[in-house]
Amino acid sequence: MKKVIFIGQTGCGKTTLCQKLNEQTIKYRKTQAVERYGDSIDTPGEYLENRHFYHALIMTAVDAKVIALVADPTSEYRAIPPAFAGIFGKKVIGIITKINQTEPQKIEKARKELVKAGASPIFEVDTPDGIGISDLMNYLEKEAV
C-alpha cells in the first residue's frame, strides 16, 4: 500500500479505516495526535476543523504519497472547504464512510463536498462491514501514483 494520510472531521471514521486497512483489531477511540498505522497516517479531526492547524496537515502530508479526504455523510457539519486539495500538490482522493448508516441523498451530499474540495476518485466504504475496502485497498496498492 502506498503511504496515505487520512484527513477528515472528528468522528468521520479515519482511525477505524486505518485500522481496517492495516488488518488491526478495530478499537474505537479518539485520536489525540498524528498516529501511524503501517503506511497509514491518521490525523486528529481538529486539524481540519481549525484553520490554524492546516500547516500541521500540510507538513504531515509531506511523507504521504496519497492524500485521502474523508467525509461522513451522517454528519450535517461540513468541514472540508472547497478547493482544499490544492494546498497539497499531490494526488487527493475522497472517501465517504458510514454508507450503511445513512440514506443515498446524504451520501450524494458528501460526494459533492469531496468533488468541490478537488478529490478524485471517490470511494464509498462502510468499514465495520468491509464494504468498499477491497476497492480502496486495490487502488492504494496498484493505481495510486
Side-chain angles (χ1 to χ4, degrees):
M1 181 169 79
K2 303 254 190 297
K3 194 176 289 183
V4 58
I5 183 171
F6 293 90
I7 299 170
Q9 69 192 52
T10 302
C12 71
K14 299 177 302 292
T15 302
T16 304
L17 191 54
C18 288
Q19 291 169 348
K20 184 77 164 189
L21 290 172
N22 288 281
E23 299 176 350
Q24 296 181 357
T25 303
I26 294 176
K27 297 178 186 173
Y28 298 97
R29 61 184 181 74
K30 169 74 181 83
T31 301
Q32 298 295 327
V34 174
E35 295 185 20
R36 300 289 289 271
Y37 294 86
D39 285 332
S40 300
I41 304 168
D42 186 15
T43 61
E46 291 82 2
Y47 282 23
L48 176 65
E49 295 162 356
N50 185 335
R51 289 183 198 180
H52 296 292
F53 291 120
Y54 283 6
H55 69 283
L57 289 174
I58 294 166
M59 292 305 297
T60 306
V62 167
D63 287 340
K65 296 291 183 201
V66 178
I67 313 298
L69 298 180
V70 183
D72 177 0
T74 67
S75 173
E76 291 300 318
Y77 177 61
R78 299 286 174 225
I80 305 171
F84 188 67
I87 68 173
F88 296 103
K90 294 184 179 191
K91 180 68 180 171
V92 178
I93 65 170
I95 302 170
I96 303 170
T97 58
K98 305 179 185 181
I99 62 168
N100 277 355
Q101 299 175 30
T102 192
E103 49 279 342
Q105 299 87 347
K106 291 186 176 185
I107 294 170
E108 186 56 30
K109 190 174 181 181
R111 177 178 296 283
K112 288 178 181 177
E113 175 188 24
L114 291 169
V115 168
K116 285 180 184 176
S120 178
I122 297 172
F123 298 88
E124 294 182 10
V125 304
D126 196 277
T127 308
D129 294 339
I131 297 171
I133 298 298
S134 60
D135 290 340
L136 176 59
M137 182 65 97
N138 184 53
Y139 178 84
L140 292 174
E141 287 178 352
K142 298 176 184 169
E143 297 180 36
V145 230

